[in-house]
Every structure is written in C-alpha cells, then in structure tokens.
Amino acid sequence: MINVRAPTTSSNPRVRLENVSRRQFLRSAAAVTAFAVAAEISGLEPALAYETGGAQMPHGTVNDPHVFVSIDSSGIVSITAHRSEMGTGIRTSLPMVVADELEADWSKVRIVQALADEPRYGNQDTDGSRSMRHFLQPMRQVGAAMRQMLESAAAKQWAVPLSEVQASNHEVLHRPTGRKLTYGELAKAAMDLPTPQLEALKFKPDNAFRYMGHGNVPIYDLFDITVGKAQYGYDVRLPGMTYAVIARPPVVGGKLRSFDAMEALKVPGVVKVLELKVSWAPPAAFSPLGGIAVVATNTWAAIKGREALKVDWEDGENGAYDSAAYRQQMAEAANKPGRVERTQGDFDKAFAGASKVVSAEYYVPHLAQASMEPLVATATIRNGECEVWAPLQYPFGAREAFAKLLELPIDKVKVNVTLLGGGFGRKCQSDFAQEAVLLSKALDGAPVKLAWTREDDLHHAFYHTVTYSRLDAGVDSSGKVIAWRHRSVAPTLFANFKPDPKREQAIELGLGLADVALDIPNVRVETGEAAAMTRIGWFRSVNNIPHAFAVQSFIGEIAEALGKDPKDVLLEIIGPPRKLELDKLGLTDPLWNYGDPYSTYPVDTGRLANVVNLAASRANWGRSLPKGSGLGIAAHRSFLSYVATVVEVGVDSQGKLAIPRVETAIDCGFAVNPERIRSQIEGAAVMGLSNFIGEISFKNGRAEQGNFDNYPVARIDNAPTNVRVHIVPNGSDVPAGGVGEPGVPPFLPALCNAIFAATGKRIRSLPAGDQLRV
Amino acid sequence: MSIEVTINKKSYTVDVPPETPLLWVLRDVIGLTGTKYGCGIAQCGACTVHVGSDAVRSCITAVSDVAKPITTIEGLDVDGNHPVQRAWREERVPQCGYCQAGQIMQAAALLDEIKNPSDQQICDAMVGNICRCGCYQRIQSAVRRASRGI
Ligand code: FES
Ligand code: FES
C-alpha cells in the first residue's frame, strides 16, 4: 500500500514532511545519476514529487492501484474516476493520466464513476480547480505502479530478470526474445501482486507520453451525449418513483405560517402534499430551507400542484434585503477606513505626496450559477439503508449530511454520482439532495425524485457575492505608481459556517485581492463591513471576478490618466520577474494560496508577465483599429495558474457590442489535456460575457429574477465565438495549476478596457445594462 | 385522457391531461430522458425536439397539440450517426453536455431546411439554445462542418 493520506489520519505530520523533502532530494541531488541510470535501462524517470495541498484536504489523496484500476482477462482496463464531471472533462482526464503511465491502449479503457467514498478514494470535493492539481501525481503513481506489477508478473511467468521486460501499449515485451504477453493474459497475476513502494516507482519521461499533453483523447461520454444516453441527475428513474417539487420560503430564514393544500390536491397527478420541516437557523451550512413538498406522478403535475398551493410565509429579518439600499451601504463602507489586510510602506504619506491621483469605484452584483441542469436528486430508503443519485460536486460531504439527517451510520448511506449538467459551484452545496432524502423519509422510504425548476434555481441559489470596491492610486512626477489602496466590501460565504464575520475572510482575500502582484512601494488593502442577507456561495472563480475586475480596470484607468499604453502600465505594475516574498507583503492573515504550498506554487511575476506578452503579441497589440473598435487587456493569477486576455470589441452607433476576437494565454503548469483546457478557456470567455450582462437583485428579501427571460446569459449571437487559446508549454515537472476557473476573471476587465478603448466609456458598475447606449 | 403520439417511429398512448407539455410526457411518462428541461418557458432550447420536420420547444407544446410524428435525440439516427451528431463529435463540442441534445436537434432542423446556412443563418437558428458552459464557438464550427457533410 502506498496511500498518501491527510495528516489528520497520520500520527505525526512531521514524518510526512520529511518524506516530501526526501523525495525532493531524489529529484535534485540524486537526480543526475538516478536519471542517467534509469534512462539507460528503460527510459523511465524515478519517482517525481512536488508537494501539493492534496494531502491537507479531507481524506487527502490515495494512490493505490488496487483502488483505482482493475484489469480483466480480456484486457479491458477499468479505471475509477473519483471526481465529479460537470463539464471540465476531469472524468476523462484523470483516468487518462492513469492509462498513460499504465501504457494502456485507451480503446480498451472503461471508466467507472466512484461512489461517494473518500476514505477509499481520497478527497472528492470537486471545486477550487483542484482535481488535476492534487491528483495528477497520485494518478501517475497509480498507473506506474500497475504497469510495474504487469511487468513483474510477466518476468515471473517467463522466469527472466525484470530488467529485460517492458510494458508497452497494452502488452509486456521480453526484449531479448521478442515474446509478448497481453495485459489480459497478465491481469490476474499482476493484480495479485503487492503494490510497489512509492520510492520504487518509475515514471515515463514526457517524450514517451501517449495521451498526456496531447489532447488526443475525446471525453469518455462524448458519444452518449450526442445520442441522448448520457445520464444526468435529472435523468434518474427508479421503479415506482414519484416526482416532487417544493415551495420554499422566498426569503432566506423565512418561516411557514400556514398553508392550504386543497386546490393543489385536486390537480390531476398530485398524490400528496406535505410540510418539509427543518429548523433553519444561521449558520446553516448547506441545510435545506424547508417548505411544502408537492408529490406527484410526474414533474409537471408536481409543478402545477405547487402553483395551486396557498402558502403564508413569515419573511424574517432578511425580508429587508434590498439591493439598491444595500449598494448604498456598501459604497459608504468602501469610502471609509476598513480592516487592514495588507500593508507595505506608508500609503497615506505617499498618496498625500503624489503628483497625480487616480480614484475609481466598481460594483459587481450577485450572480447565480444557473447550470443548465437545475438541481435535482433522487432518494430511497429500504431496509434501513438510504441510496441517493444526484449531480453532486461534493458527494462525500453530502453523504455525511444524509447520514446525519437520518441518524444512520455512514455505511448505511450510498451515494451515486451522476453526470452534472454544469455545476459552477452551486452543486457543492447538498441542500437539494438533503431535501430528497428528507422527503423519501417522509414517504416511508419510497423512491422520489426532487426536482428544482429554473425559478427555484434562481430564487434559492447560494449566490455569487456582491462587491463594491474603491481604488486609489498616487503617481509620482516621473509617472510611476507609488501608492495603491484597494478597499473591498463584500458579504462573505463564511456566514454559512460561523457567526457572520461581515467581511471577506482569508480565503476570499486569497482570491485575487491580497495576493496581487504590485511593484508599488506603498500598498494598502482593506476590507469593509457588509452583513450577508442571503446565502452566499461558490460561483466559478468566486471573488476573483470582482477583485480582478476592479484591479485590472483600474490599471486601465491609470494608463488613461497617464496617457500611457495600458499593456505597458500593466507590465510596469507587475514589475520585474520575481517570486513574491510573502513576508514582505505585510499580510494580516497568512496567504491562503488556494490551499497549496507556496513553495510549489509561488506568485511568479515572470509567468504573469509572460502571459501578458503572449496574449498581446497574438492579438497584435497596438494595431490600429477603425473607429468604434478597440482592444483591452487584463491579466490575473488565480487557482495557481496565470491567464492574460486581450478582447477586441466593436461598438456600433446604437451601442450594440460585438466581440470579434479574444486572445487568451494561459500558463497552468503542465498542460495535461490541452484540448479540454482550450474548451474551458473558450467557455470562460462566454461566462465572462454572462457576468457582464447578468444580475440577481433583491427586493423585500426576494431574488427578483426567476428565469432566463430576466436573468440573461450569453447566447450564440452575442457570445465570443472566436476565442484563440495559447497554452504556455511546460514539462510535467512544472506543477499543474487550475484550469476550470482561471479563465473567467480577466475576461470582464479586458472587455471593459476594450470598450473604453473603443468608445471612451468606462463601465465600472455591472451589469452593463444600457450603459453602452448613446 | 388517452392521447396517441408517435415518437421515433413508435406509437404510444398516454393518459395525461391534454395540456401536459410534451417534454414531461417524453421524460417522465415514456422515459425518453435525452430531451432535457432547462427553463420550461421556451427560453433555453434544451427541450428541443422535432415535430414533423420543425424544431419545437417541447416544454411549451401541449401533448394534445402534437399532430405530426415526433423525433427526439434518441431517434435522430438509429446509430447516432446523423451528420450533425458526427460533426458534434469531430469538433468535440460538449462540455457538460446537458444542453447538447437540444442544440443538435435545433441544428439538424436548420440543416434540413437550409443545406448551406450562412453564419448569420446559423446564429439566427441557434440563438434560442443556451449553453451555460459556453460551447458556442464549437457549435458554430460543428454546424458548418455538418452542412458540408449533408
Ligand atoms: S426547457 Fe424548453 S426551452 Fe428551456
Ligand atoms: S455543454 Fe454544458 S450547458 Fe452546454
């Protein structure tokens, strides 16, 4: 067994650290000789290792081939995908890593989706753009170990030295004689072997990769998707199942006063109406909101039944939530001193002595994830065992919640993870699946599918936060920025987990606020107070969206004030190539760094500047454009990857916006699946545009938008469809960064910078609405 | 009330109120779940099927109003090799894939009507289909590719 687990299960965390440094020693000091010998013998490299935050996550990482791989006598290799598939391709990409190291022929690989079982598979919480970052190395270890087991089995069968055999493309070859055994023939003997020690593992050199780095493997579900066979949460069907929807309190924290189900029960197909009792009180984590469930023979009947309900709600405190008034309060908070989160030099003094000052305020509203598949879950309880099928980003957390709700031991709860029709952070919270479990319990364990309508999805999201920022810069007489202050005001998602701290917390500061590379001697970052009056949650890229929007727009504004080229100012502010020294940043809280060690993933300004230059050169930055057209640039490090985007816009005389071209450069370390990286970056531009036009606003505590008619998202007519992606080439020794999220944050400011270049209009407040109209 | 419908060349008798949207008859009553729900108000296109040769939004089409045979994604081609489906795979369009049945049905109806659509015609035909993952660039390429293959 070569499990690497979280320190919580290890008796002494120091031992693990020593192991890491020992492996690093293998790479560095011993690398020259070890590599030369290995290369001579088999072309394989010794165990690679850089430390990631994977081990710090609940249940850490697991790299046991017996857990992830099985081979049958026909040679079919089954590889378990333990992370959730919501469109990033991870269900394909991680097994592809295993297959590559295993020298498996992809056409003989089958993917099995893991149940929610973190003690067995390691962490399954699919968010934070972490899957490849944390599991690239464990999955390479799984594949390499199984390859070596196959080789050992073959050597044993032939009674030849191990050094004479080599696995290649689903066969093991005895080099001196040319004999071959297929993986199917070796399967049983190989799988019966003990797992090699981590130290004994040999990895393929990059130039021997068949799949990694090539992008030649289509997503596993591609065919099924195109023929309507792919199974999403919404598609689960159990014999005898009923369908339910819930009328929930329209205001978070609201309570039921009374209800009348008489008319609802008359709707054909409605079989039952019942109250879903919960005791919702903050901090409520992912608890369901409660309400009235309408159970029917099909979804439509349940929806019609719900429409016929008469319900009287008591709104509670959050009934006062009004976005217009709230914005006013946030603006006030942003215009007075806040809690200092980062301080370098003396901002006040430098700002007072500046020969020119620039100030601006920015606003990014609440947004809803609005994945195309609304929330849904199916549950049944039989013989004291509960089984759930649902599109969950955090399946094990959900399983623990179900066990708690039902007061069952966790081994009596089975959670099947379906495909997710999008997630974007919303499906991390298991409230909807908890509803299904509670409902099945209320129905004596009968199978029931709890469906959310689009209106439910927009009315009861865990919303992207709302952010008001104020930035001030001072410039000296030579035109250098010498003072920078960023005040950020946003309710925190941590209000779900503890008494509302009423300001962004360390993790949120780490999302592109406190960790910004600024080659400026006097810097202050502050947060202002804002109480959460709805449920704030994860939304693809999270606080990086407003932070990057403010910072990168503001750099554009400084360039304008100085009459300089925006790209030049951006590069000046990033400064010379260096790794930011954390102890020089004057941070109040330690930098979160996305939960990964700073030594592996420092803030590297050279890599950031490099993507700026790459995107700019591909966009022919500086070219002259017709009137009404313009280029805008922005760059941002998030989820440990570096992205720069140049957006080209055209704005016509009616104020109609067109985005003819987008050039995005990404440095995400080793690019394991470049084809899916491209698709993520293309999609990030589209979502970036959606963030430009969408808003969830509150009135009387209620979300005012309920469907795509008033919560617009990008469509094919306005979306960027000429997004060119440039991936910085890196070897597998450059730690993999995130991919799913980092493409989003730079898009908005690049777009608004481009609009400014085209029209002279600066959009500081979102949604854009009719600001472009003349 | 008993209503007869023909879906993917098979006939079915369903017993639902006549105003029940075709979408829920397909998904919940008959069990053809390839057709998706995304909005219920003709805003997203996830529920697109063919009635005769027209692309319609099954979420707002009462089952009793359907007078012609219905084709869903499951029945577009027996082997799943309609030129649009092939093009979708060659261009590797899907991300999460949830919207794609509707996208494919919409594109297939477009190409049935206009063999060689211009970019503007593609845009006009596909504008009612939302892809929250943002696959529009590849959708556009795939429709173009399929138009060459038909
Ligand atoms: S579900 Fe029919 S158009 Fe959205
Ligand atoms: S592929 Fe996810 S919504 Fe289109």
Side-chain angles (χ1 to χ4, degrees), chain A residues 372 421-422, chain B residues 93-100 103 130-135:
Chain A
M372 282 313 294
Chain B
V93 173
Q95 290 185 32
C96 82
Y98 188 82
C99 72
Q100 301 297 348
Q103 306 274 6
I130 294 173
C131 176
R132 185 65 164 147
C133 296
C135 302

Side-chain angles (χ1 to χ4, degrees), chain B residues 23 36-47 57-60:
Chain B
L23 171 66
K36 303 301 189 216
Y37 164 79
C39 70
I41 58 164
Q43 280 289 319
C44 79
C47 65
R57 306 292 186 234
S58 63
C59 69
I60 53 151

Side-chain angles (χ1 to χ4, degrees), chain A residues 184-365:
Chain A
E185 289 165 331
L186 291 166
K188 186 167 179 329
M191 300 221 318
D192 284 346
L193 290 174
T195 304
Q197 290 299 307
L198 184 59
E199 286 71 16
L201 291 182
K202 299 277 199 299
F203 293 87
K204 289 167 69 170
D206 289 16
N207 62 13
F209 292 159
R210 291 172 188 279
Y211 311 122
M212 281 189 269
H214 292 293
N216 50 355
V217 172
I219 54 169
Y220 189 69
D221 303 292
L222 183 58
F223 184 86
D224 285 354
I225 287 169
T226 61
V227 298
K229 279 203 194 115
Q231 289 282 308
Y232 298 86
Y234 237 99
D235 302 333
V236 172
R237 290 169 64 82
L238 298 181
M241 169 178 94
T242 53
Y243 300 77
V245 297
I246 295 176
R248 298 174 187 79
V251 176
V252 170
K255 303 260 178 299
L256 179 70
R257 273 205 201 102
S258 64
F259 73 102
D260 175 357
M262 208 161 61
E263 294 303 314
L265 285 164
K266 288 184 194 157
V267 171
V270 170
V271 294
K272 203 165 197 155
V273 175
L274 52 97
E275 184 186 348
L276 208 64
K277 284 207 176 82
V278 299
S279 50
W280 195 96
F286 307 154
S287 296
L289 297 166
I292 312 298
V294 179
V295 185
T297 54
N298 64 71
T299 314
W300 175 249
I303 293 170
K304 294 314 273 182
R306 182 172 69 176
E307 283 170 12
L309 277 180
K310 291 191 188 68
V311 195
D312 187 16
W313 303 106
E314 184 187 311
D315 288 348
E317 273 174 38
N318 291 331
Y321 194 24
D322 178 299
S323 288
Y326 194 78
R327 177 182 173 139
Q328 229 17 72
Q329 292 167 19
M330 293 175 86
E332 283 161 25
N335 277 285
K336 61 185 188 207
R339 178 184 194 260
V340 176
E341 311 289 359
R342 168 178 169 180
T343 180
Q344 290 163 271
D346 185 338
F347 169 81
D348 289 330
K349 194 165 155 221
F351 190 68
S355 60
K356 190 169 204 157
V357 300
V358 186
S359 298
E361 298 178 16
Y362 303 93
Y363 179 78
V364 179

Side-chain angles (χ1 to χ4, degrees), chain A residues 392-422:
Chain A
L392 295 160
Q393 282 182 246
Y394 184 23
F396 193 72
R399 184 176 163 203
E400 289 176 319
F402 306 153
K404 205 168 147 207
L405 276 181
L406 298 173
E407 295 172 339
L408 282 176
I410 194 142
D411 61 329
K412 299 285 182 207
V413 177
K414 182 175 172 188
V415 177
N416 305 276
V417 183
T418 65
L419 291 176
L420 283 66

Side-chain angles (χ1 to χ4, degrees), chain B residues 3 25 31 56 58 68 73 76 97 100-101 115 124 133 144 146:
Chain B
I3 300 164
V25 172
V56 307
S58 63
K68 290 182 184 164
I73 186 73
L76 185 61
Q100 301 297 348
K115 297 273 170 273
D124 292 345
C133 296
R144 284 189 205 124

